[in-house]
């Protein structure tokens, strides 16, 4: 009898959904706006139309200054004027030694309720991309293309399934380190999840291969224009400084991650009951392998091959657009909408069936789209509460006049803390680098170490940051946040220690 009661209690407790986790963090962020003093760094931005600098002070007044090197030197901004005039730095940057406390701006109940609406409006471009993606995946699924492709791939990789993990993780890490491949990977889960599950792995292996590939690549960025390049420019140095060391760290961290995934994947493959999500696997298999029967799969004929080639061909085209063509989510959404139209004509489905399939596919990802908007609400509350600059001011005060090696390690920890509150890599770089980089001069270390500490710190926190992409990812594959934490925290500890050791070595060199 007691055993039955215990089982009932266990069954009653379920970890909160991603939405509940985000709303709890949202309320905590609002509470912080009552506790943390409001503050503001004066901001400088280059106006290319008038060829002047615009400076906004803590009172909201905007003054114009000549766009010259002398102006930057006077403001103690140690970077070349060309970084502004050539468009390398587009966002406002914080001016050192200008922090001022300002009247508190607490975010009350109304602000908390309004913030998810504002967050959804602010991320509508990403949400449209996600919904179109859901629609096109629904279409491809309806044609039986994925099932036929899984069957063909399973035959070729029999006994070598982990090579798929190595390939996916390495390729995505390459995208992360070069151009910050992150949100775009959302498209890969519905495609790769059936393949991983059919290969005997669980959903966590698939998430780890994709999400950690992106996270490791972005964390150890080498030439990523949205993080390390912007940070280097804002620090007043070339992104080539420290590049060789960052490449070595990227390779080693990718190997460490693959080894960690391998041991977990091997354990799950040998005994599915060892999976962290064993009790959920039936539901996940029902969702992703609903119509898949390896003994009764539609032939991989020319029509399905053509549909798959067109669909997968959109990804390198998208990568080119983001890295070279100046694309963002509207252009990516337009690309996949065009692909969807082509697939409608190739599918052989009737007009009504095709449209309904597209709509149903989009509906499957509505929850994912809304999570992205709600996550943005947390940043809106903190920005409106004017506490982001205060957090930067206090963290920069901690590391003044430290020993070089300790300075680098503490900077990484502080950047991971700031990364939780400011998940945008480019936003954190432009806000913090003009303040943090000069501190390297005072302790006698190179500024590229500050850039490395920033990159590794904010990237490290991205493994678990609810305000980032992880909750949208977990929602897509029906895995709860606590299960992900149980899987990732040991690896997070290993990568954290590895990064700190590498930072100390870089400081000594």
């Amino acid at each position: 009898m007691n055993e039955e009661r215990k089982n009932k209690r266990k069954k009653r407790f379920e970890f909160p959904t991603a939405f509940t986790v985000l709303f709890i963090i949202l309320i905590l962020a609002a509470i912080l706006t009552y506790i943390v003093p409001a503050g503001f760094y004066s901001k400088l931005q280059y106006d290319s139309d008038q060829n002047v600098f615009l400076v906004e002070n803590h009172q909201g007044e905007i003054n114009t200054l000549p766009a010259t090197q002398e102006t930057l030197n006077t403001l103690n901004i140690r970077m070349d004027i060309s970084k502004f005039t050539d468009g390398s730095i587009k966002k406002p940057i914080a001016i050192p030694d200008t922090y001022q406390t300002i009247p508190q701006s607490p975010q009350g109940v109304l602000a908390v309720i309004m913030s998810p609406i504002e967050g959804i409006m602010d991320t509508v471009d990403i949400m449209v991309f996600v919904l179109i993606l859901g629609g096109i995946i629904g279409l491809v699924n309806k044609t039986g293309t994925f099932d036929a492709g899984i069957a063909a791939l399973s035959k070729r990789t029999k006994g070598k399934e982990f090579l798929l993990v190595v390939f996916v993780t390495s390729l995505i890490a390459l995208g992360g380190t070069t151009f910050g491949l992150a949100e775009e990977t959302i498209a890969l889960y519905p495609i790769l999840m059936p393949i991983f599950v059919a290969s005997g792995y669980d959903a966590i292996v698939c998430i780890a291969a994709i999400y950690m590939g992106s996270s490791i690549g972005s964390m150890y960025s080498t030439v990523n224009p949205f993080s390390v390049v912007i940070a280097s420019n804002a620090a007043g140095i070339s992104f080539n400084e420290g590049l060789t060391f960052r490449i070595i760290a990227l390779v080693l961290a990718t190997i460490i991650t693959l080894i960690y995934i391998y041991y977990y994947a091997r354990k799950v493959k040998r005994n599915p009951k060892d999976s962290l999500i064993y009790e959920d696997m039936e539901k996940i298999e029902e969702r992703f392998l609903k119509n898949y029967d390896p003994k009764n799969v539609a032939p991989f004929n020319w029509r399905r091959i053509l549909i798959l080639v067109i669909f997968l061909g959109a990804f390198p085209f998208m990568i080119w657009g983001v890295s070279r063509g100046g694309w963002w989510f509207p252009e990516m959404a337009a690309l996949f909408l065009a692909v969807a139209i082509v697939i409608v004509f190739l599918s052989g489905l009737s007009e009504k069936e095709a449209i309904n399939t597209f709509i149903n596919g989009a509906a499957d990802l509505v929850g994912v789209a809304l999570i992205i908007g709600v996550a943005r609400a947390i940043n809106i509350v903190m920005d409106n509460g004017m506490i982001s600059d205060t957090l930067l001011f206090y963290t920069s005060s901690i590391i003044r006049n430290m020993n070089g090696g300790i300075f680098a390690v503490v900077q990484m920890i502080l950047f991971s803390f700031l990364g939780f509150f400011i998940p945008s890599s480019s936003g954190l770089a432009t806000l913090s680098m003009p303040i943090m980089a000069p501190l390297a001069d005072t302790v006698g270390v190179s500024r590229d170490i500050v850039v490395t500490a920033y990159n590794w710190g904010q990237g490290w926190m991205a493994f678990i940051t609810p305000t980032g992409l992880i909750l949208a990812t977990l929602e897509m594959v029906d895995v709860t946040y606590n299960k992900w934490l149980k899987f990732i925290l040991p690896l997070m500890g290993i990568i954290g220690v590895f990064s700190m050791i590498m930072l100390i070595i870089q400081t000594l060199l």
Side-chain angles (χ1 to χ4, degrees), residues 71-122:
T71 298
L72 293 176
N73 294 340
T74 302
L75 295 174
N76 202 25
I77 299 174
R78 304 303 179 195
M79 63 183 75
D80 197 271
I81 183 69
S82 63
K83 301 294 184 184
F84 295 90
T85 55
D86 66 9
S88 297
I89 298 177
K90 298 175 183 177
K91 295 185 176 183
I93 68 167
I95 301 174
D97 304 319
T98 60
Y99 176 80
Q100 294 280 337
T101 55
I102 59 176
Q104 205 74 9
S105 183
Q107 301 297 290
V109 175
L110 181 60
V112 170
I113 293 172
M114 282 295 297
S115 61
I117 310 302
E118 294 171 9
I120 288 168
M121 293 170 66
D122 199 37

Short mmCIF file of all heavy atoms in Angstrom, two decimals, residues 71-122:
data_model
loop_
_atom_site.label_atom_id
_atom_site.label_comp_id
_atom_site.label_asym_id
_atom_site.label_seq_id
_atom_site.Cartn_x
_atom_site.Cartn_y
_atom_site.Cartn_z
N THR A 71 38.09 62.76 -30.65
CA THR A 71 36.89 62.62 -29.82
C THR A 71 36.92 61.31 -29.05
O THR A 71 36.64 61.27 -27.85
CB THR A 71 35.61 62.69 -30.68
OG1 THR A 71 35.54 63.95 -31.33
CG2 THR A 71 34.37 62.49 -29.84
N LEU A 72 37.26 60.22 -29.74
CA LEU A 72 37.34 58.91 -29.08
C LEU A 72 38.39 58.91 -27.98
O LEU A 72 38.16 58.37 -26.89
CB LEU A 72 37.64 57.82 -30.11
CG LEU A 72 36.56 57.53 -31.16
CD1 LEU A 72 37.06 56.49 -32.16
CD2 LEU A 72 35.28 57.03 -30.49
N ASN A 73 39.55 59.52 -28.25
CA ASN A 73 40.62 59.57 -27.25
C ASN A 73 40.18 60.37 -26.03
O ASN A 73 40.46 59.99 -24.89
CB ASN A 73 41.88 60.19 -27.86
CG ASN A 73 42.48 59.32 -28.95
OD1 ASN A 73 42.20 58.12 -29.02
ND2 ASN A 73 43.30 59.91 -29.80
N THR A 74 39.46 61.47 -26.28
CA THR A 74 38.98 62.32 -25.18
C THR A 74 38.00 61.56 -24.29
O THR A 74 37.99 61.71 -23.07
CB THR A 74 38.29 63.58 -25.73
OG1 THR A 74 39.22 64.30 -26.56
CG2 THR A 74 37.80 64.48 -24.61
N LEU A 75 37.17 60.69 -24.92
CA LEU A 75 36.18 59.91 -24.17
C LEU A 75 36.77 58.63 -23.58
O LEU A 75 36.05 57.82 -23.00
CB LEU A 75 35.00 59.54 -25.09
CG LEU A 75 34.16 60.72 -25.60
CD1 LEU A 75 33.12 60.24 -26.61
CD2 LEU A 75 33.47 61.44 -24.44
N ASN A 76 38.09 58.45 -23.77
CA ASN A 76 38.79 57.27 -23.24
C ASN A 76 38.30 55.98 -23.91
O ASN A 76 38.28 54.91 -23.29
CB ASN A 76 38.63 57.18 -21.72
CG ASN A 76 39.72 56.33 -21.08
OD1 ASN A 76 40.82 56.20 -21.64
ND2 ASN A 76 39.42 55.72 -19.94
N ILE A 77 37.90 56.08 -25.18
CA ILE A 77 37.50 54.91 -25.97
C ILE A 77 38.68 54.53 -26.86
O ILE A 77 38.95 55.21 -27.86
CB ILE A 77 36.25 55.20 -26.82
CG1 ILE A 77 35.07 55.56 -25.90
CG2 ILE A 77 35.88 54.01 -27.69
CD1 ILE A 77 33.83 56.01 -26.63
N ARG A 78 39.41 53.51 -26.47
CA ARG A 78 40.67 53.16 -27.14
C ARG A 78 40.43 52.25 -28.34
O ARG A 78 40.74 51.06 -28.33
CB ARG A 78 41.62 52.49 -26.15
CG ARG A 78 41.91 53.31 -24.90
CD ARG A 78 42.50 54.66 -25.24
NE ARG A 78 42.76 55.47 -24.06
CZ ARG A 78 43.00 56.77 -24.10
NH1 ARG A 78 43.00 57.41 -25.25
NH2 ARG A 78 43.22 57.43 -22.98
N MET A 79 39.87 52.80 -29.38
CA MET A 79 39.70 52.05 -30.62
C MET A 79 39.80 53.01 -31.80
O MET A 79 39.64 54.23 -31.64
CB MET A 79 38.38 51.28 -30.64
CG MET A 79 37.13 52.11 -30.58
SD MET A 79 35.63 51.09 -30.53
CE MET A 79 35.67 50.50 -28.85
N ASP A 80 40.05 52.46 -32.97
CA ASP A 80 40.26 53.28 -34.15
C ASP A 80 38.95 53.80 -34.71
O ASP A 80 37.95 53.09 -34.72
CB ASP A 80 41.01 52.47 -35.22
CG ASP A 80 41.62 53.36 -36.28
OD1 ASP A 80 40.91 53.65 -37.27
OD2 ASP A 80 42.78 53.77 -36.11
N ILE A 81 38.97 55.04 -35.19
CA ILE A 81 37.78 55.66 -35.76
C ILE A 81 37.21 54.86 -36.93
O ILE A 81 36.00 54.84 -37.18
CB ILE A 81 38.11 57.11 -36.22
CG1 ILE A 81 36.87 57.84 -36.76
CG2 ILE A 81 39.20 57.11 -37.27
CD1 ILE A 81 35.85 58.16 -35.73
N SER A 82 38.11 54.12 -37.63
CA SER A 82 37.66 53.35 -38.80
C SER A 82 36.67 52.25 -38.42
O SER A 82 35.87 51.82 -39.26
CB SER A 82 38.87 52.73 -39.52
OG SER A 82 39.54 51.81 -38.67
N LYS A 83 36.72 51.76 -37.16
CA LYS A 83 35.78 50.73 -36.73
C LYS A 83 34.34 51.23 -36.79
O LYS A 83 33.40 50.45 -36.96
CB LYS A 83 36.10 50.29 -35.30
CG LYS A 83 37.50 49.73 -35.10
CD LYS A 83 37.71 48.44 -35.85
CE LYS A 83 39.09 47.87 -35.57
NZ LYS A 83 39.35 46.64 -36.37
N PHE A 84 34.18 52.54 -36.64
CA PHE A 84 32.83 53.13 -36.72
C PHE A 84 32.48 53.49 -38.16
O PHE A 84 31.38 53.20 -38.64
CB PHE A 84 32.75 54.39 -35.84
CG PHE A 84 32.91 54.12 -34.38
CD1 PHE A 84 34.17 54.13 -33.78
CD2 PHE A 84 31.81 53.83 -33.59
CE1 PHE A 84 34.32 53.87 -32.42
CE2 PHE A 84 31.94 53.57 -32.24
CZ PHE A 84 33.20 53.59 -31.66
N THR A 85 33.41 54.11 -38.86
CA THR A 85 33.10 54.61 -40.21
C THR A 85 32.91 53.50 -41.23
O THR A 85 32.17 53.67 -42.20
CB THR A 85 34.21 55.57 -40.70
OG1 THR A 85 35.48 54.90 -40.63
CG2 THR A 85 34.27 56.83 -39.83
N ASP A 86 33.57 52.34 -41.01
CA ASP A 86 33.38 51.24 -41.98
C ASP A 86 32.20 50.34 -41.62
O ASP A 86 31.96 49.33 -42.29
CB ASP A 86 34.67 50.42 -42.12
CG ASP A 86 35.05 49.66 -40.85
OD1 ASP A 86 34.23 49.62 -39.91
OD2 ASP A 86 36.17 49.11 -40.79
N GLY A 87 31.48 50.67 -40.55
CA GLY A 87 30.28 49.90 -40.19
C GLY A 87 30.54 48.69 -39.32
O GLY A 87 29.62 47.92 -39.04
N SER A 88 31.81 48.51 -38.85
CA SER A 88 32.11 47.35 -38.01
C SER A 88 31.33 47.41 -36.71
O SER A 88 30.88 46.39 -36.18
CB SER A 88 33.61 47.29 -37.70
OG SER A 88 34.35 47.10 -38.88
N ILE A 89 31.18 48.62 -36.15
CA ILE A 89 30.41 48.81 -34.92
C ILE A 89 29.19 49.66 -35.24
O ILE A 89 29.31 50.84 -35.57
CB ILE A 89 31.26 49.49 -33.82
CG1 ILE A 89 32.45 48.60 -33.47
CG2 ILE A 89 30.42 49.76 -32.58
CD1 ILE A 89 33.38 49.20 -32.46
N LYS A 90 28.03 49.03 -35.17
CA LYS A 90 26.78 49.72 -35.51
C LYS A 90 25.96 50.08 -34.28
O LYS A 90 25.22 51.05 -34.28
CB LYS A 90 25.94 48.83 -36.45
CG LYS A 90 26.63 48.52 -37.77
CD LYS A 90 25.81 47.56 -38.61
CE LYS A 90 26.54 47.20 -39.90
NZ LYS A 90 25.79 46.21 -40.70
N LYS A 91 26.07 49.27 -33.23
CA LYS A 91 25.25 49.50 -32.04
C LYS A 91 25.90 50.53 -31.12
O LYS A 91 27.12 50.75 -31.18
CB LYS A 91 25.07 48.18 -31.27
CG LYS A 91 24.26 47.15 -32.04
CD LYS A 91 24.01 45.92 -31.18
CE LYS A 91 23.12 44.92 -31.91
NZ LYS A 91 22.80 43.75 -31.06
N PRO A 92 25.10 51.18 -30.26
CA PRO A 92 25.67 52.11 -29.27
C PRO A 92 26.63 51.38 -28.34
O PRO A 92 26.38 50.25 -27.94
CB PRO A 92 24.45 52.61 -28.51
CG PRO A 92 23.28 52.34 -29.40
CD PRO A 92 23.63 51.11 -30.17
N ILE A 93 27.74 52.02 -27.99
CA ILE A 93 28.69 51.41 -27.05
C ILE A 93 28.72 52.24 -25.76
O ILE A 93 28.46 53.45 -25.77
CB ILE A 93 30.10 51.29 -27.65
CG1 ILE A 93 30.72 52.67 -27.85
CG2 ILE A 93 30.10 50.52 -28.95
CD1 ILE A 93 32.21 52.62 -28.13
N ALA A 94 29.05 51.57 -24.67
CA ALA A 94 29.13 52.25 -23.37
C ALA A 94 30.42 53.06 -23.30
O ALA A 94 31.49 52.60 -23.74
CB ALA A 94 29.08 51.23 -22.25
N ILE A 95 30.35 54.28 -22.78
CA ILE A 95 31.53 55.14 -22.63
C ILE A 95 32.12 54.91 -21.24
O ILE A 95 31.41 55.03 -20.23
CB ILE A 95 31.16 56.63 -22.80
CG1 ILE A 95 30.53 56.85 -24.20
CG2 ILE A 95 32.37 57.52 -22.62
CD1 ILE A 95 30.00 58.24 -24.43
N PRO A 96 33.41 54.53 -21.16
CA PRO A 96 34.03 54.26 -19.85
C PRO A 96 33.92 55.45 -18.90
O PRO A 96 33.93 56.61 -19.32
CB PRO A 96 35.49 53.97 -20.21
CG PRO A 96 35.46 53.55 -21.64
CD PRO A 96 34.35 54.32 -22.27
N ASP A 97 33.83 55.13 -17.61
CA ASP A 97 33.84 56.13 -16.53
C ASP A 97 32.68 57.11 -16.59
O ASP A 97 32.81 58.26 -16.14
CB ASP A 97 35.17 56.90 -16.53
CG ASP A 97 36.38 55.98 -16.43
OD1 ASP A 97 36.32 55.00 -15.66
OD2 ASP A 97 37.37 56.22 -17.15
N THR A 98 31.54 56.68 -17.16
CA THR A 98 30.38 57.58 -17.23
C THR A 98 29.18 57.03 -16.49
O THR A 98 28.08 57.58 -16.59
CB THR A 98 29.97 57.84 -18.70
OG1 THR A 98 29.62 56.59 -19.32
CG2 THR A 98 31.07 58.52 -19.48
N TYR A 99 29.38 55.95 -15.71
CA TYR A 99 28.24 55.34 -15.02
C TYR A 99 27.64 56.31 -14.01
O TYR A 99 28.35 56.95 -13.23
CB TYR A 99 28.67 54.05 -14.32
CG TYR A 99 27.55 53.42 -13.51
CD1 TYR A 99 26.57 52.66 -14.13
CD2 TYR A 99 27.46 53.64 -12.13
CE1 TYR A 99 25.53 52.09 -13.39
CE2 TYR A 99 26.43 53.07 -11.39
CZ TYR A 99 25.46 52.30 -12.03
OH TYR A 99 24.43 51.77 -11.30
N GLN A 100 26.32 56.41 -14.05
CA GLN A 100 25.59 57.25 -13.10
C GLN A 100 24.37 56.48 -12.58
O GLN A 100 23.71 55.79 -13.35
CB GLN A 100 25.08 58.53 -13.80
CG GLN A 100 26.16 59.49 -14.26
CD GLN A 100 26.68 60.34 -13.11
OE1 GLN A 100 25.98 60.54 -12.12
NE2 GLN A 100 27.90 60.81 -13.23
N THR A 101 24.13 56.60 -11.28
CA THR A 101 22.87 56.04 -10.77
C THR A 101 21.74 56.97 -11.19
O THR A 101 21.91 58.19 -11.26
CB THR A 101 22.90 55.92 -9.24
OG1 THR A 101 23.19 57.20 -8.67
CG2 THR A 101 23.92 54.90 -8.79
N ILE A 102 20.61 56.39 -11.49
CA ILE A 102 19.45 57.14 -11.94
C ILE A 102 18.24 56.72 -11.10
O ILE A 102 18.31 55.72 -10.39
CB ILE A 102 19.17 56.92 -13.44
CG1 ILE A 102 18.93 55.44 -13.74
CG2 ILE A 102 20.31 57.46 -14.30
CD1 ILE A 102 18.55 55.15 -15.18
N PRO A 103 17.15 57.46 -11.16
CA PRO A 103 15.96 57.07 -10.37
C PRO A 103 15.53 55.64 -10.68
O PRO A 103 15.58 55.21 -11.84
CB PRO A 103 14.91 58.09 -10.81
CG PRO A 103 15.70 59.28 -11.25
CD PRO A 103 16.96 58.74 -11.86
N GLN A 104 15.14 54.93 -9.64
CA GLN A 104 14.71 53.54 -9.80
C GLN A 104 13.54 53.44 -10.77
O GLN A 104 12.69 54.33 -10.83
CB GLN A 104 14.29 52.97 -8.44
CG GLN A 104 14.41 51.47 -8.31
CD GLN A 104 15.85 51.01 -8.17
OE1 GLN A 104 16.76 51.81 -8.01
NE2 GLN A 104 16.08 49.71 -8.26
N SER A 105 13.57 52.37 -11.56
CA SER A 105 12.50 52.17 -12.55
C SER A 105 11.92 50.76 -12.38
O SER A 105 12.07 49.91 -13.26
CB SER A 105 13.04 52.37 -13.97
OG SER A 105 12.00 52.25 -14.92
N PRO A 106 11.28 50.50 -11.24
CA PRO A 106 10.78 49.15 -10.96
C PRO A 106 9.68 48.74 -11.94
O PRO A 106 8.85 49.55 -12.34
CB PRO A 106 10.24 49.25 -9.54
CG PRO A 106 9.92 50.69 -9.34
CD PRO A 106 10.93 51.45 -10.16
N GLN A 107 9.70 47.48 -12.30
CA GLN A 107 8.72 46.94 -13.25
C GLN A 107 7.63 46.19 -12.48
O GLN A 107 7.88 45.12 -11.92
CB GLN A 107 9.41 46.01 -14.25
CG GLN A 107 10.52 46.68 -15.05
CD GLN A 107 10.00 47.80 -15.92
OE1 GLN A 107 9.30 47.56 -16.92
NE2 GLN A 107 10.33 49.04 -15.58
N GLY A 108 6.44 46.78 -12.45
CA GLY A 108 5.33 46.23 -11.68
C GLY A 108 4.54 45.17 -12.41
O GLY A 108 4.97 44.64 -13.45
N VAL A 109 3.37 44.88 -11.88
CA VAL A 109 2.52 43.82 -12.42
C VAL A 109 2.15 44.08 -13.87
O VAL A 109 2.22 43.19 -14.73
CB VAL A 109 1.24 43.67 -11.56
CG1 VAL A 109 0.30 42.64 -12.18
CG2 VAL A 109 1.61 43.24 -10.13
N LEU A 110 1.76 45.32 -14.17
CA LEU A 110 1.36 45.66 -15.54
C LEU A 110 2.51 45.47 -16.52
O LEU A 110 2.33 44.92 -17.62
CB LEU A 110 0.84 47.10 -15.60
CG LEU A 110 0.35 47.57 -16.98
CD1 LEU A 110 -0.80 46.69 -17.47
CD2 LEU A 110 -0.07 49.04 -16.93
N ALA A 111 3.71 45.90 -16.11
CA ALA A 111 4.89 45.75 -16.97
C ALA A 111 5.20 44.28 -17.23
O ALA A 111 5.56 43.89 -18.35
CB ALA A 111 6.09 46.44 -16.33
N VAL A 112 5.06 43.45 -16.18
CA VAL A 112 5.32 42.01 -16.33
C VAL A 112 4.31 41.39 -17.29
O VAL A 112 4.66 40.57 -18.14
CB VAL A 112 5.27 41.32 -14.95
CG1 VAL A 112 5.28 39.80 -15.11
CG2 VAL A 112 6.45 41.76 -14.09
N ILE A 113 3.05 41.77 -17.16
CA ILE A 113 2.00 41.22 -18.04
C ILE A 113 2.19 41.68 -19.48
O ILE A 113 1.98 40.92 -20.43
CB ILE A 113 0.60 41.62 -17.52
CG1 ILE A 113 0.34 40.94 -16.17
CG2 ILE A 113 -0.49 41.23 -18.51
CD1 ILE A 113 -0.92 41.41 -15.47
N MET A 114 2.61 42.93 -19.65
CA MET A 114 2.80 43.47 -21.00
C MET A 114 4.06 42.95 -21.69
O MET A 114 4.10 42.84 -22.92
CB MET A 114 2.88 45.00 -20.94
CG MET A 114 1.54 45.70 -20.78
SD MET A 114 0.47 45.45 -22.24
CE MET A 114 1.45 46.25 -23.52
N SER A 115 5.06 42.59 -20.89
CA SER A 115 6.36 42.24 -21.49
C SER A 115 6.31 41.04 -22.44
O SER A 115 6.98 41.07 -23.48
CB SER A 115 7.40 42.00 -20.38
OG SER A 115 7.02 40.93 -19.55
N PRO A 116 5.55 39.96 -22.15
CA PRO A 116 5.48 38.88 -23.15
C PRO A 116 4.88 39.34 -24.47
O PRO A 116 5.30 38.87 -25.54
CB PRO A 116 4.59 37.83 -22.47
CG PRO A 116 4.70 38.10 -21.02
CD PRO A 116 4.83 39.59 -20.91
N ILE A 117 3.90 40.25 -24.40
CA ILE A 117 3.31 40.78 -25.64
C ILE A 117 4.36 41.56 -26.42
O ILE A 117 4.53 41.38 -27.63
CB ILE A 117 2.10 41.71 -25.33
CG1 ILE A 117 1.12 41.04 -24.36
CG2 ILE A 117 1.41 42.14 -26.61
CD1 ILE A 117 0.54 39.75 -24.84
N GLU A 118 5.11 42.40 -25.70
CA GLU A 118 6.17 43.17 -26.36
C GLU A 118 7.26 42.24 -26.89
O GLU A 118 7.83 42.47 -27.96
CB GLU A 118 6.76 44.17 -25.37
CG GLU A 118 5.79 45.27 -24.94
CD GLU A 118 6.33 46.12 -23.81
OE1 GLU A 118 7.52 45.97 -23.47
OE2 GLU A 118 5.57 46.93 -23.26
N GLY A 119 7.55 41.18 -26.11
CA GLY A 119 8.56 40.22 -26.54
C GLY A 119 8.17 39.50 -27.81
O GLY A 119 8.99 39.30 -28.72
N ILE A 120 6.89 39.13 -27.91
CA ILE A 120 6.39 38.47 -29.12
C ILE A 120 6.45 39.42 -30.31
O ILE A 120 6.87 39.03 -31.42
CB ILE A 120 4.95 37.96 -28.89
CG1 ILE A 120 4.97 36.75 -27.93
CG2 ILE A 120 4.27 37.58 -30.20
CD1 ILE A 120 3.61 36.33 -27.41
N MET A 121 6.07 40.68 -30.09
CA MET A 121 6.14 41.67 -31.17
C MET A 121 7.58 41.92 -31.60
O MET A 121 7.86 42.14 -32.78
CB MET A 121 5.49 42.98 -30.71
CG MET A 121 3.98 42.87 -30.48
SD MET A 121 3.27 44.31 -29.67
CE MET A 121 3.52 45.57 -30.91
N ASP A 122 8.50 41.84 -30.63
CA ASP A 122 9.90 42.11 -30.92
C ASP A 122 10.58 40.96 -31.65
O ASP A 122 11.61 41.14 -32.30
CB ASP A 122 10.63 42.39 -29.59
CG ASP A 122 11.95 43.11 -29.79
OD1 ASP A 122 12.02 43.98 -30.68
OD2 ASP A 122 12.91 42.80 -29.06
#
